[in-house]
């Protein structure tokens, strides 16, 4: 097992990519503490289904937008486990709309969750990692933050911001033996992409060299690589998992 006795925090673990990350890290022996914001039922279901496989997984209702909630969550974890080894910032939302029609609320919901949320969670745990002289941060951005996608100015800005944030932080904390990397998925089959209209999928599909959407597990396996010693000399990088779409 590649992550035996490691403690991992995953934000947004109840569904989609986050859920696959929780499962993958736990299967490699990590104690995984995941967060969510609404879905109590799904959180309990995940704890119970993975618990039956003797995997160590617990869910916590923590809104990443709220610094105080995140800080209290961190204190709770440190009291119980004494240390944290891996942080995966995965929680994210979309509120797609053309800029001309986008409300200030749709802008700030996305920025507050996807970018300020990453600041809130990373600030809390980075200090712990620096004190430990050891830690590993993996941020789930998006191809949208690299190439820009129309009707996603809010989302592209948040995900591009996350990449810049990660590179700056990677330089800041490398001396403390803390790594920071980014995974940038393209189109992945989850609840988030289930809202895409048939016409839009027909438009996008020919642009994906591998000619299909990816799976949450395909993103999780790259996160696993970044979470293990196999990637010990990699920091400040953005790894695309996009079927070649962004080439
Ligand atoms: P889903 O919509 O399937 O799941 C989102 C998860 O984030 C849920 O667990 C949700 O919790 C949680 N969440 C949302 N807001 C908050 C919040 N304020 N605080 C804490 N948790 C929150 O998303 P995906 O699995 O598709 O996406 C996961 C990440 O990957 C996102 O950052 C997304 O931007 C990124 N991504 C996704 C792509 C895709 O094609 N699917 C492509 C590129 C990037 P709850 O269940 O309680 O609502």
């Amino acid at each position: 097992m590649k992550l035996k006795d490691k403690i991992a925090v995953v934000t947004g673990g109840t569904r989609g990519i986050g859920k696959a990350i929780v499962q993958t890290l736990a299967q490699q022996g990590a104690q995984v503490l995941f967060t969510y914001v609404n879905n109590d039922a799904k959180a309990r279901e995940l704890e119970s289904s993975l618990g039956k496989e003797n995997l160590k997984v617990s869910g916590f209702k923590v809104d990443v937008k709220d610094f105080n909630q995140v800080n209290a969550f961190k204190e709770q974890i440190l009291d119980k486990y004494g240390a944290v080894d891996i942080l995966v910032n995965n929680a994210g939302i979309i509120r797609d709309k053309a800029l001309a029609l986008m409300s200030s609320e749709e802008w700030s919901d996305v920025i507050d969750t996807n970018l300020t949320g990453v600041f809130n969670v990373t600030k809390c745990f980075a200090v712990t990692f620096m004190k430990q002289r050891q830690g590993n941060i993996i941020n789930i951005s998006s191809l949208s933050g690299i190439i820009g996608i129309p009707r996603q100015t809010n989302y592209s800005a948040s995900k591009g911001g996350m990449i810049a944030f990660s590179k700056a932080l990677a330089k800041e904390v490398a001396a403390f033996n803390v790594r920071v990397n980014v995974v940038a998925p393209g189109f992945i089959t989850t609840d988030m992409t289930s809202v895409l209209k048939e016409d839009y999928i027909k438009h996008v599909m020919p642009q994906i060299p591998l000619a299909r959407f990816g799976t949450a597990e395909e993103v999780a396996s790259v996160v696993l690589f970044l979470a293990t010693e196999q990637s010990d000399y990699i920091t400040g990088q953005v790894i695309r998992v996009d079927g070649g779409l962004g080439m």
Side-chain angles (χ1 to χ4, degrees), residues 53-236:
E53 297 174 39
N54 290 322
L55 303 181
K56 295 170 283 179
V57 165
S58 312
F60 298 79
K61 193 169 192 162
V62 179
D63 186 342
V64 297
K65 295 196 295 300
D66 183 334
F67 183 84
N68 292 331
Q69 279 187 39
V70 176
N71 202 39
F73 165 62
K74 182 206 72 176
E75 295 294 333
Q76 199 182 341
I77 289 174
L78 286 181
D79 279 353
K80 182 151 184 200
Y81 300 100
V84 178
D85 302 290
I86 300 157
L87 166 64
V88 184
N89 280 305
N90 164 79
I93 60 166
I94 47 171
R95 297 281 184 271
D96 293 357
K97 204 167 270 181
L99 181 68
L101 302 173
M102 188 179 289
S103 66
S104 298
E105 198 183 1
E106 285 160 340
W107 170 265
S108 45
D109 274 356
V110 170
I111 299 293
D112 292 354
T113 305
N114 299 3
L115 189 55
T116 309
V118 169
F119 165 79
N120 290 339
V121 181
T122 309
K123 182 173 160 68
C124 288
F125 287 98
V127 173
T128 305
F129 289 161
M130 288 161 78
K131 283 187 193 150
Q132 293 174 173
R133 293 289 194 277
Q134 183 255 329
N136 193 341
I137 301 169
I138 300 156
N139 292 331
I140 310 299
S141 176
S142 167
L143 190 65
S144 182
I146 301 172
I147 64 171
I149 293 186
R151 295 172 45 80
Q152 288 200 330
T153 51
N154 49 1
Y155 185 76
S156 295
S158 71
K159 294 298 189 177
M162 185 197 265
I163 291 171
F165 171 92
S166 303
K167 289 181 179 176
L169 185 66
K171 288 180 179 166
E172 207 171 297
V173 297
F176 295 85
N177 192 31
V178 179
R179 297 191 291 126
V180 186
N181 287 293
V182 176
V183 176
F187 288 94
I188 307 298
T189 304
T190 67
D191 290 348
M192 191 177 271
T193 47
S194 66
V195 298
L196 295 177
K197 300 218 163 57
E198 201 57 39
D199 280 357
Y200 183 72
I201 294 173
K202 275 191 186 141
H203 161 73
V204 161
M205 202 57 88
Q207 301 173 44
I208 306 176
L210 290 180
R212 64 175 175 85
F213 281 14
T215 65
E217 290 71 25
E218 287 169 328
V219 179
S221 62
V222 177
V223 171
L224 175 63
F225 167 67
L226 290 171
T228 63
E229 289 171 0
Q230 286 177 308
S231 59
D232 260 359
Y233 199 51
I234 299 178
T235 195

